[in-house]
Amino acid sequence: MKYLFTLLLFLNIIVNAQQINKTDSNKISSDTLKVDSGEKDSLEIYKPTIHDYQVKKRFSEKKVYDTTFAIERSYIVTQYNKKDNFGKIQYANVGSGFQNLMYEKNSEQNLSLLPGNKSFYILGENDINYYDVKTPTTTFFYNNAMKNGGQLHTTYTQNVGKNFNFAIEYMGLRSQGLYRNSLAASNNTIFSGHYTSPNGKYEAYAHYIHQNVNNQENGGIADLDVFLSGDSRFNNRQNIETNLSGAESRYGYRRYYFSQEFSPFDPAKYPFKLRHTIYHQGNKYYFSETTTNTDFFGGIDITGFPLGSKKFSNNLSNTFSLVWDNEKFKLDAGFRHQYITFGNKNAFPLLQIPGYFKEQRFGAVGNLQIKLLDKIQLKSFLEISKGSEFGDYIKTTNELVFEPIKDYLIEGRVNFQSAYPSFNYLVNSSHYLNYNYYLQNPNNEAVTQIGGTLKLAKWFNTQLFVDYYRIDNYTYFDSSAKPQQSSSSLNISQIGGEATASYKRFHLNGRVLFQKALTNDNLLPMPDFIGRVNLYYQAPAFKKAAEIQAGVKLYYFTKFASREFSPILNEYILPGTNAYSIGGQPIADVYINMRVKRMFFYVEGQHINQTFMQNKSFTAPNYPIYDFRLNLGVVWYLFH
């Protein structure tokens, strides 16, 4: 990590020595400025503006670099996974994952191996950024960690000529944690490139990503009475005994990706293209121990069996598509071939647990986008594939956006997915006899979502949404950590909203979610209410040379009988007869943030209420959330 940081710094120095103009403000609303040199010669000096620094996802429109100081960004840049984690509750250590407090479906788990608690920082094909910058650009995101360590997320990107851009991104995280045996050590490396031919007829995207999500697993606190006693001897959390030592889970993720488009005719007259996409993605999940822990995991320990489990999946995908890319009407449709393998390296033949699956899959994909009168927009996606081992796969997402009046939006959505359960549910082998399973011939889990959102920009910037989910053949882990499928549907309703009220320089941002499992609520325990309120002050400072935000946040969810966390599977399992309830305890943060040009400072006192009241908040049974901590963050954009 330190060598990469040194290399990037060296590149910055070289680039700075070669550049005579810098972007110093994002207040300029125009494009590149041509500046008179003051001499009667041919020299022309260009001063780039923020609009010359753009970013995009594959096959999408470019957007200007987001260097705003909006409060919504503070929810993102202060988190290790760079997402707003509303609806989740974090473990006591940075990088140890979350428990989802609301139902959501992660498409990255489709036809792949991805344990639930390893999924929160995994980047899919549509999450990779491609850049177009006038001058070399570097960004830094830094946050401190729990006790020892830190997290650095940095990006260096540069255009080579007008048509080719490359980028290098790196994220390194190491955090010891407050409790014993809770080290988190993860990293992420991305190389990406984007090329457009001078005549605009050819375009290509490429990236390579390598991610590791590694965690020590301590099994939670051994004696909750010790934690809840309030004894000052245990204010140092290292003095509290945990259930496991020498246990570790590791998840590795690699993808090689290349996509290209070619326009055989003049794109201005005939926006017809040929597209080809190929990628290979490999996932690996390991759980290992240095010694057996039958007192915690229970059951019989199989003599001579390796002290760990090893699984992997691979997906080689090839897609050929025809594309019509018009501003008002976009359509692509194509054929897809996939070669998928799933392996269980420590298979145990006597228990008849298979060790290897493979299949060739054939299918079709399509996207449709329609814009009418700048008031109506339709987006639709469909993918269908068939295979002999993992069954049929159908996924469709449909969104209709209607803007009857400017800044007033109505969004409707109907989504459906029918897919084989995530591969972590299919097979597991372990030296603990009761952690061996094989889910034979499972049915597809079918998820139907119907919902809508109402956005009222001029009414306190309000958003109201409602969603209904019907999940057939809901797949879950029972209290014995065995995969099961529900014989009847699980129905979930969600209603919520977000709004911001302002008075002069004071602002109040609030977000709420009400949810309910209408049937089979015992299969997915979750809180009925989740809420977040943020009261803050924002104003210029130091004679307008800087800008500050200062406020207090409050996060709360109602009490419920939580699922338990399984370190072996890195999944959540249903509670036993003595379910432990979590929630019902507010989590308050105070903060002061400051922006100086393109450098941002974030200082948060997290869980401030723990300084005057005992910590009784949990992420999962036996897993307390973090105590009070000072979270320090720096974001720096360098446009050279």
Side-chain angles (χ1 to χ4, degrees), residues 261 271-275 321-325 330-333:
E261 292 182 339
F272 172 73
K273 301 178 182 178
L274 304 174
R275 178 185 295 169
S321 302
L322 303 179
V323 182
W324 184 268
D325 191 359
K330 297 182 180 182
L331 173 67
D332 69 76

Side-chain angles (χ1 to χ4, degrees), residues 178-223:
L178 303 177
Y179 295 85
R180 300 181 188 179
N181 309 308
S182 60
L183 174 68
S186 304
N187 58 71
N188 173 338
T189 304
I190 304 174
F191 298 94
S192 64
H194 176 228
Y195 173 77
T196 304
S197 64
N199 60 10
K201 289 188 174 184
Y202 180 81
E203 186 173 16
Y205 300 86
H207 73 252
Y208 165 76
I209 180 171
H210 179 193
Q211 285 189 265
N212 290 308
V213 183
N214 303 327
N215 300 96
Q216 289 182 338
E217 303 289 354
N218 64 17
I221 290 174
D223 188 348

Side-chain angles (χ1 to χ4, degrees), residues 475-491:
T475 310
Y476 62 95
F477 288 99
D478 64 18
S479 58
S480 300
K482 295 294 193 300
Q484 305 289 345
Q485 289 193 306
S486 174
S487 58
S488 57
S489 63
L490 171 61
N491 297 273

Side-chain angles (χ1 to χ4, degrees), residues 134-158:
K134 185 67 68 175
T135 60
T137 302
T138 309
T139 61
F140 293 98
F141 292 80
Y142 174 81
N143 289 93
N144 65 334
M146 301 285 192
K147 198 170 182 179
N148 292 319
Q151 180 194 22
L152 174 66
H153 184 176
T154 183
T155 302
Y156 177 84
T157 181
Q158 178 179 347

Side-chain angles (χ1 to χ4, degrees), residues 111 316-321 333-340 359-366 381-387 391-395:
L111 298 176
L316 176 60
S317 175
N318 237 321
T319 306
F320 296 88
S321 302
F335 166 81
R336 174 170 293 173
H337 169 259
Q338 294 173 290
Y339 178 60
I340 296 178
E359 72 169 11
Q360 306 271 353
R361 298 187 65 86
F362 299 91
V365 295
F381 167 80
L382 174 66
E383 179 179 356
I384 301 174
S385 67
K386 290 180 174 291
D392 297 343
Y393 174 77
I394 302 173
K395 181 181 179 181

Side-chain angles (χ1 to χ4, degrees), residues 29-82:
S29 60
S30 60
D31 204 343
T32 305
L33 298 178
K34 180 179 176 181
V35 181
D36 188 352
S37 66
E39 302 290 340
K40 294 182 179 180
D41 57 21
S42 60
L43 177 64
E44 294 179 344
I45 301 175
Y46 291 87
K47 182 178 181 180
T49 73
I50 188 61
H51 295 267
D52 292 306
Y53 300 87
Q54 299 180 325
V55 61
K56 65 182 292 187
K57 309 296 184 183
R58 60 171 190 166
F59 314 132
S60 67
E61 297 179 357
K62 296 178 182 179
K63 296 181 180 179
V64 176
Y65 252 79
D66 186 0
T67 60
T68 60
F69 196 46
I71 197 66
E72 291 79 11
R73 291 200 74 225
S74 69
Y75 300 141
I76 297 172
V77 299
T78 57
Q79 300 295 310
Y80 84 93
N81 58 341
K82 298 301 176 281

